[in-house]
Amino acid sequence: MKSTIAALALASLMPHLTPLAAQAQEPPRTPIKIGFVSTFSGPSGQLGQELLLGFRLGIASVGGQLGGRPVEIIEGDDQAKPDVGRQLVDKMIESNRVQIITGINFSNVLLAVAKPALDAGAFVISVNAGPSQLAGRGCHPRFFAAAFQNDTSAEAMGLHLTAKGVRRVYLMAPNYPAGRDYLNGFKRTFKGEIVGEVYTAFGQLDYAAEIAQLRAAGPEAVFFFYPGGMGINFVKQYAQAGLRAAVPLYGPSFSLDQTVLPAIGDAALGAFASSFWSESLDNAASRKFVADFEAAHGRIPAPYAAQGYDAARLIDAALKSIGGRIEDKAAFQRALETVTFDTVRGRFRFNTNHFPIQDFYLNEIVKDDRGRLVMGLRERIVADYPDAYAGECRMRPATN
């Protein structure tokens, strides 16, 4: 008799339970709040603009939402200053209640904001900066580098020049965390002689004295890392000094991409760039991204835009797998760690330290059939390449 009453009681509840169960599967309708902090002004302002354009295009490509939820993006210009970036992030977390911080392009800014943002419970998903400090012992369960680890594209170029038989290389970079990471990465894999290693002031735009010292050292090649306005001035001054034909330039894509090539002009022809993506990479997702970006903006996208685009699609795919519930931080972390999505890179997965394992390519600066300077794909340097710091990472368990 008791079991019959219990069964009838359960049956009477079913019409009320079923809609609730169905409703539980629907993503929440409140917006996901994202703080997009980047450099939007000054000589490097185009870098932040490119990242943001790619990120917004990535959101548009998945229907204008992330994980089935509306998105609110709060933008902030860090002016390439760590203290400004910290102030912006603190305000976004305290006042805007953002759940994700992204957009940061300079490693010194990221290092200033990552810990306070992570301590406050936010996710930090880097669309560009990949400092070594966060790849090894400083790894964190809610930090993900969706682009690269700073050293890796330089390591790829070191591998290429070693295989090519180049024996004497001169190194140049700005004196800040990413500059040091890039040159350390190159030295890790290059087996020849480093005949000079020069760190210039961050933001420096006149390289006449350094180029004179470089000439005197007599290298076979120069490996350099100068993003934004620094790269424009360095490459133009290098060509003006008559060195372009005599001593080839090699660098990561961020010194020779579409954020700088139109301003550099023919002075960049014949230089080489290592990258995990370029506008010449031939896969369906990359072709669609390039076509959509050109249709929207009338020009070729830079890798920065590709990184922003991929990051948005990564977040969307991870959120969709957990019904959009970013509030379940442990679930969102696990989703990011294992998610697959249609990436412009062709192949991409996270290592145990939440930094990518991906392919790297050699590109030469050439003109396309419309006379535009582009990174022409030459060969794949290395496949499924991890960073050097993952073994130092002891990732803590996911928590809410």
Side-chain angles (χ1 to χ4, degrees):
M1 184 66 175
K2 289 181 180 179
S3 61
T4 302
I5 293 171
L8 289 170
L10 180 61
S12 69
L13 288 173
M14 287 302 293
H16 303 286
L17 290 174
T18 303
L20 290 174
Q23 184 180 3
Q25 301 305 311
E26 292 295 322
R29 297 310 303 162
T30 54
I32 290 174
K33 294 187 176 183
I34 297 177
F36 199 100
V37 177
S38 203
T39 306
F40 295 120
S41 60
S44 299
Q46 188 176 353
L47 308 185
Q49 296 289 350
E50 196 79 356
L51 289 165
L52 182 59
L53 289 176
F55 191 76
R56 288 192 176 278
L57 185 61
I59 294 173
S61 76
V62 292
Q65 298 185 328
L66 291 177
R69 292 175 65 170
V71 184
E72 181 181 348
I73 300 177
I74 298 96
E75 300 172 18
D77 179 11
D78 61 34
Q79 304 170 40
K81 297 175 181 178
D83 58 333
V84 175
R86 171 67 188 271
Q87 293 166 12
L88 288 168
V89 167
D90 286 347
K91 181 180 179 182
M92 288 177 179
I93 289 174
E94 293 169 10
S95 301
N96 304 109
R97 306 296 184 194
V98 299
Q99 296 145 304
I100 297 173
I101 293 291
T102 191
I104 297 169
N105 52 296
F106 285 119
S107 290
N108 52 346
V109 178
L110 180 61
L111 289 171
V113 308
K115 187 178 187 305
L118 294 166
D119 287 350
F123 280 82
V124 178
I125 300 177
S126 178
V127 291
N128 189 62
S132 56
Q133 292 91 331
L134 292 171
R137 294 178 183 177
C139 65
H140 191 283
R142 289 192 304 278
F143 177 83
F144 288 81
F148 55 89
Q149 195 280 312
N150 288 344
D151 302 31
T152 48
S153 60
E155 289 173 2
M157 191 60 87
L159 291 170
H160 169 71
L161 290 180
T162 297
K164 190 179 176 183
V166 174
R167 295 166 297 172
R168 292 166 50 82
V169 175
Y170 198 93
L171 308 181
M172 289 186 66
N175 189 17
Y176 82 116
R180 294 188 291 273
D181 279 349
Y182 273 93
L183 297 197
N184 284 335
F186 183 86
K187 290 185 293 182
R188 187 175 292 118
T189 57
F190 178 65
K191 302 308 179 185
E193 179 186 359
I194 304 300
V195 297
E197 182 174 349
V198 174
Y199 293 92
T200 52
F202 182 80
Q204 179 175 323
L205 297 176
D206 184 358
Y207 300 96
E210 288 82 6
I211 290 172
Q213 294 171 2
L214 183 161
R215 186 196 300 272
E220 294 177 57
V222 172
F223 178 81
F224 76 107
F225 166 64
Y226 283 116
M230 293 181 285
I232 293 169
N233 281 29
F234 174 75
V235 176
K236 291 175 75 171
Q237 291 168 24
Y238 190 85
Q240 289 164 3
L243 288 171
R244 180 167 69 92
V247 186
L249 280 176
Y250 295 83
S253 60
F254 312 105
S255 301
L256 291 162
D257 66 15
Q258 293 300 326
T259 62
V260 295
L261 283 176
I264 294 174
D266 288 356
L269 283 169
F272 293 89
S274 53
S275 71
F276 57 82
W277 179 88
S278 76
E279 57 268 41
S280 302
L281 192 60
D282 191 15
N283 64 62
S286 182
R287 290 194 300 271
K288 183 180 188 310
F289 160 65
V290 172
D292 289 349
F293 190 96
E294 283 200 74
H297 304 292
R299 60 177 177 83
I300 304 169
Y304 293 96
Q307 293 159 206
Y309 183 85
D310 258 6
R313 292 164 66 85
L314 165 75
I315 294 168
D316 173 69
L319 284 172
K320 281 179 177 173
S321 74
I322 59 169
R325 285 170 174 75
I326 194 173
E327 293 79 9
D328 186 343
K329 295 177 184 178
F332 185 45
Q333 178 195 326
R334 290 190 292 267
L336 286 169
E337 289 170 339
T338 59
V339 71
T340 58
F341 68 105
D342 198 12
T343 166
V344 300
R345 288 170 249 202
R347 295 197 296 189
F348 172 97
R349 60 189 169 95
F350 280 119
N351 206 338
T352 54
N353 62 347
H354 296 174
F355 278 72
I357 298 173
Q358 55 195 342
D359 299 352
F360 284 89
Y361 302 89
L362 178 72
N363 304 275
E364 182 179 0
I365 307 306
V366 296
K367 289 187 176 180
D368 67 7
D369 54 7
R370 294 170 56 182
R372 301 176 299 180
L373 292 166
V374 296
M375 290 193 292
L377 185 65
R378 291 294 173 258
E379 63 183 77
R380 184 166 64 187
I381 300 172
V382 62
D384 290 328
Y385 193 69
D387 69 89
Y389 303 95
E392 301 172 14
C393 171
R394 299 292 179 265
M395 189 67 70
R396 301 192 298 276
T399 64
N400 279 321

